[in-house]
Amino acid sequence: KQEVTQIPAALSVPEGENLVLNCSFTDSAIYNLQWFRQDPGKGLTSLLLIQSSQREQTSGRLNASLDKSSGRSTLYIAASQPGDSATYLCAARYGGATNKLIFGTGTLLAVQP
Amino acid sequence: GAVVSQHPSWVICKSGTSVKIECRSLDFQATTMFWYRQFPKQSLMLMATSNEGSKATYEQGVEKDKFLINHASLTLSTLTVTSAHPEDSSFYICSAQLRGTGISYEQYFGPGTRLTVT
């Protein structure tokens, strides 16, 4: 069964800290992996997408890595800000054209000013 | 670019009534659209995949007669919750896959619809 889990479920850090969010997937035959941000009561904002052939992607203060063999991805946030407070979801894409996204359980991040 | 809208953004209905939610790709054509539901403090669960002009494919455990999906055009898919009950109260999110996306098959997500059944 294809499952995606995220650790920790919740995280609170002071402003300015660097932090790492973890994502694990049971089936390593992913097509790609995507990180999203979700604010309370809102939809999803795509942050980074890593193809299965890539090792990492960077966008501003965000860096996502992918290790297919170990079934893991991490999202690194540098110099965190209160505006980064949100729920972060990772999603593994399987099946190419079938395009089924399996979402992780999410990490609720709170950055304290 | 690649904007997806949903209407309504929130809706309250009485138990037993039906509710229709629209999902539109505003500036692109979507061959495939997806419907997810999200319960409070939980992740997104895929309900069904719809391709323009054909019947939707439902995930295991999702009642196709209760959650009617129509994908009549390349820019519009609708989800109708029939005979809604309080347990159907949830956050419904759609996504659309850009036609001819090629290798990335990236999905673009709508802002979600909050359904409350009283």
Side-chain angles (χ1 to χ4, degrees):
Chain A
K1 183 180 179 183
Q2 296 163 337
E3 293 182 343
V4 180
T5 56
Q6 291 182 244
I7 296 173
L11 180 64
S12 180
V13 300
E15 181 177 3
E17 249 190 40
N18 302 325
L19 59 99
V20 175
L21 307 180
N22 298 290
C23 172
S24 300
F25 42 96
T26 55
D27 184 349
S28 63
I30 63 171
Y31 198 74
N32 57 43
L33 188 134
Q34 196 164 0
W35 283 91
F36 296 90
R37 168 188 174 135
Q38 185 176 31
D39 293 290
K42 304 293 184 181
L44 304 182
T45 300
S46 178
L47 298 174
L48 290 165
L49 185 150
I50 313 175
Q51 300 296 342
S52 60
S53 58
Q54 297 175 322
R55 298 284 291 183
E56 64 179 297
Q57 282 285 338
T58 298
S59 176
R61 295 182 293 109
L62 304 180
N63 175 277
S65 68
L66 176 64
D67 185 341
K68 275 187 61 177
S69 60
S70 66
R72 294 180 180 181
S73 176
T74 62
L75 179 67
Y76 175 83
I77 302 178
S80 59
Q81 303 171 356
D84 295 330
S85 299
T87 295
Y88 290 81
L89 296 164
C90 69
R93 179 174 281 107
Y94 293 96
T98 304
N99 203 10
K100 177 178 289 190
L101 271 179
I102 306 297
F103 278 86
T105 47
T107 294
L108 176 60
L109 173 65
V111 180
Q112 309 298 332
Chain B
V3 177
V4 177
S5 71
Q6 281 184 241
H7 178 80
S9 56
W10 60 270
V11 57
I12 301 174
C13 70
K14 292 185 177 181
S15 185
T17 62
S18 296
V19 174
K20 179 184 285 187
I21 302 170
E22 292 186 349
C23 176
R24 293 181 183 273
S25 55
L26 297 185
D27 50 2
F28 66 99
Q29 292 183 327
T31 47
T32 305
M33 289 186 172
F34 305 84
W35 287 94
Y36 298 84
R37 68 186 298 180
Q38 184 179 33
F39 291 107
K41 298 185 179 181
Q42 294 188 26
S43 192
L44 277 75
M45 298 298 295
L46 179 65
M47 298 176 65
T49 302
S50 73
N51 293 291
E52 184 263 339
S54 62
K55 291 184 179 180
T57 301
Y58 291 81
E59 295 299 301
Q60 189 174 10
V62 177
E63 300 176 59
K64 62 180 181 180
D65 293 331
K66 181 168 185 62
F67 299 99
L68 301 178
I69 293 173
N70 183 277
H71 192 162
S73 76
L74 287 171
T75 60
L76 173 65
S77 176
T78 60
L79 168 67
T80 301
V81 183
T82 63
S83 187
H85 290 285
E87 57 265 31
D88 298 324
S89 298
S90 187
F91 193 54
Y92 292 87
I93 302 178
C94 73
S95 71
Q97 178 179 309
L98 182 64
R99 184 181 192 185
T101 304
I103 191 169
S104 71
Y105 296 108
E106 186 167 359
Q107 294 180 27
Y108 298 91
F109 285 80
T113 296
R114 173 76 58 193
L115 170 63
T116 302
V117 184
T118 61

